[in-house]
Amino acid sequence: YVITAQQRELEEKANKIKTIIDELNNISNSRDDETDVTIYEGVEGVRAFQGDILSSKVETVYELTSIEKVRKYLPPKFPGDARDSIGKKFTVKSLYAADGPIEGLSNDINSKILDPKKYDIGAELVIYGNKVAFISYGQKLINIVIKNADIARTIRTLFSALWEKEK
């Protein structure tokens, strides 16, 4: 019974996500401007997403994430992992929810630590150019990238406000 209830709950969540994705795609298809939604799944999707960042012509990449969630659901290194390349190619500003200093953090990344008790970060947020990515770590690794200059500018403004607030 417990497994059936959990399965039903997962199916309901999957249906809700599909509905949201369909709505985002409908918005994307009805827009005349440069709006697009791309969905990546699994570690392969992370590699594709990282490739998209590396191919972009931006100067700065902004990231907000929970170190605990990243480490729990994503291997420290995996074939084709481009995190180090991103850190070397771009200025990276990262806000990390973590209980203390982060071991193994690249010197190429300009970072600040957030108190995870104060900031409950449920998904990773990455802003680069006119794109915003939301990465959900869980049973299924899902990465939704929204390409829209107005949305990216607004989220970048919120990131900057939090960056300035946290010393």
Side-chain angles (χ1 to χ4, degrees):
Y1 172 76
V2 173
I3 293 173
T4 305
Q6 289 176 339
Q7 182 179 8
R8 192 173 326 116
E9 183 180 326
L10 285 174
E11 288 172 355
E12 288 173 4
K13 287 181 180 180
N15 286 335
K16 286 180 184 177
I17 290 172
K18 184 180 180 336
T19 300
I20 292 169
I21 290 168
D22 289 344
E23 289 173 2
L24 287 170
N25 283 327
N26 286 338
I27 291 168
S28 174
N29 293 336
S30 67
R31 303 276 310 221
D32 291 334
D33 60 5
E34 288 288 318
T35 298
D36 191 29
V37 177
T38 305
I39 299 166
Y40 301 100
E41 294 183 24
V43 174
E44 304 81 23
V46 172
R47 279 193 293 267
F49 164 66
Q50 291 174 341
D52 188 44
I53 293 174
L54 285 169
S55 69
S56 67
K57 297 182 182 351
V58 301
E59 292 181 18
T60 306
V61 175
Y62 305 87
E63 173 187 43
L64 171 65
T65 194
S66 163
I67 290 299
E68 176 187 332
K69 287 185 176 76
V70 170
R71 290 190 173 155
K72 183 176 178 181
Y73 296 109
L74 194 63
K77 292 287 179 190
F78 52 88
D81 186 3
R83 286 178 279 193
D84 290 340
S85 297
I86 290 169
K88 289 179 182 359
K89 181 174 180 180
F90 304 102
T91 298
V92 178
K93 292 177 82 171
S94 294
L95 290 167
Y96 295 117
D99 286 322
I102 303 167
E103 292 181 32
L105 187 62
S106 170
N107 292 332
D108 297 318
I109 296 176
N110 186 2
S111 63
K112 293 185 180 185
I113 305 298
L114 303 175
D115 180 355
K117 293 171 191 71
K118 184 176 176 184
Y119 297 101
D120 183 17
I121 309 299
E124 184 168 342
L125 169 70
V126 180
I127 311 152
Y128 57 108
N130 62 351
K131 295 180 181 180
V132 178
F134 297 95
I135 305 158
S136 174
Y137 298 101
Q139 289 184 344
K140 190 172 189 179
L141 183 61
I142 298 176
N143 184 337
I144 300 171
V145 179
I146 301 171
K147 177 183 173 186
N148 179 284
D150 293 333
I151 291 172
R153 184 173 48 254
T154 300
I155 300 296
R156 193 171 22 261
T157 299
L158 292 171
F159 178 95
S160 295
L162 183 57
W163 180 271
E164 292 302 318
K165 181 179 183 232
E166 294 301 315
K167 299 296 176 191

